[in-house]
């Protein structure tokens, strides 16, 4: 909610959110189909156990690797590139790629899986987001018109609904007298 609310208001950078595009690229560790075919023929025809072992380890064993991997681009995105603001004042999230959100104003909780030995002092909260619909209307409250319109992974997914404030929450501000 905090992220969506700050996007809506146009203050996500000031609020500590860094947004980067995630691209899917061919996996450089996975040999090509042609390389697999050539290695397979060499493997079958080779009489040397050392050559067969090398072919198996360096090429054939990599057949189960993913065809593509995710690469986070170095350049930060301008948050407005994620949004479409129409003339009626409505705001929509519209972005075809996944994006990574890094929240810099709070460390990960010690309980978060992946923190080392309960030490989370230096680790920012990192999440991945994918918009599942062509465009998703967002509101000032930090909510969206389609609750299934965003796929969220990482820290934001771990925090889940239990950490959300009610949609109509307004903090009570007291002055010291």
């Amino acid at each position: 909610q905090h992220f969506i609310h700050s996007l809506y208001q146009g203050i996500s950078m000031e609020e500590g959110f860094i947004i980067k595009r995630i691209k899917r690229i061919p996996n450089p560790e996975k040999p090509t189909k042609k390389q697999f075919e050539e290695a397979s023929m060499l493997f079958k025809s080779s009489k040397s156990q050392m050559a067969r072992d090398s072919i198996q380890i360096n090429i054939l064993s990599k057949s189960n690797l993913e065809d593509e991997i995710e690469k986070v681009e170095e350049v930060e995105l301008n948050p407005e590139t994620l949004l479409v603001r129409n003339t009626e004042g409505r705001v929509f999230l519209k972005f075809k790629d996944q994006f990574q959100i890094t929240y810099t104003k709070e460390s990960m909780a010690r309980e978060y899986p992946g923190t080392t030995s309960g030490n989370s002092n230096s680790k920012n909260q990192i999440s991945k987001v994918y918009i599942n619909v062509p465009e998703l209307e967002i509101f000032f409250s930090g909510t969206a018109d389609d609750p299934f319109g965003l796929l969220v992974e990482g820290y934001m997914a771990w925090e889940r609904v239990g950490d959300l404030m009610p949609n109509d929450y307004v903090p009570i501000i007291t002055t010291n007298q």
Side-chain angles (χ1 to χ4, degrees), residues 89-125:
R90 296 170 68 189
V91 181
F92 298 87
L93 270 174
K94 184 175 183 176
F95 195 70
K96 68 179 177 96
D97 295 320
Q98 286 185 337
F99 54 96
Q100 175 183 284
I101 302 166
T102 303
Y103 184 55
T104 61
K105 293 194 174 184
E106 186 176 277
S107 297
M108 288 190 290
R110 285 181 297 172
E111 300 80 17
Y112 181 68
T115 55
T116 55
S117 304
N119 180 8
S120 63
N121 293 338
S122 64
K123 297 195 178 198
N124 293 321
Q125 299 172 3

Side-chain angles (χ1 to χ4, degrees), residues 114-160:
T115 55
T116 55
S117 304
N119 180 8
S120 63
N121 293 338
S122 64
K123 297 195 178 198
N124 293 321
Q125 299 172 3
I126 299 174
S127 306
K128 285 189 335 188
V129 176
Y130 179 74
I131 303 169
N132 287 326
V133 293
E135 57 183 25
L136 180 69
E137 186 169 9
I138 61 172
F139 307 105
F140 178 81
S141 64
T143 59
D145 68 337
D146 181 354
F148 300 108
L150 287 179
L151 173 64
V152 180
E153 298 177 13
Y155 201 84
M156 285 182 184
W158 178 75
E159 281 192 321
R160 300 198 181 185

Side-chain angles (χ1 to χ4, degrees), residues 70-87:
E70 293 179 347
K71 181 173 182 352
V72 179
E73 292 185 347
E74 293 297 317
V75 175
E76 291 181 29
L77 285 174
N78 178 337
E80 288 298 316
T81 61
L82 302 175
L83 302 175
V84 174
R85 297 179 186 273
N86 72 14
T87 56

Side-chain angles (χ1 to χ4, degrees), residues 39 43 50-62:
F43 183 83
M50 194 164 75
R52 291 170 58 97
D53 287 348
S54 178
I55 292 167
Q56 177 64 38
I57 291 167
N58 294 310
I59 298 175
L60 298 178
S61 67
K62 297 180 179 181

Side-chain angles (χ1 to χ4, degrees), residues 35-48:
Q35 289 171 322
F36 278 123
E37 290 169 357
E38 290 172 355
S40 182
M41 289 190 329
L42 273 173
F43 183 83
K44 290 176 186 174
S45 66
S46 178
K47 298 198 185 328
S48 165

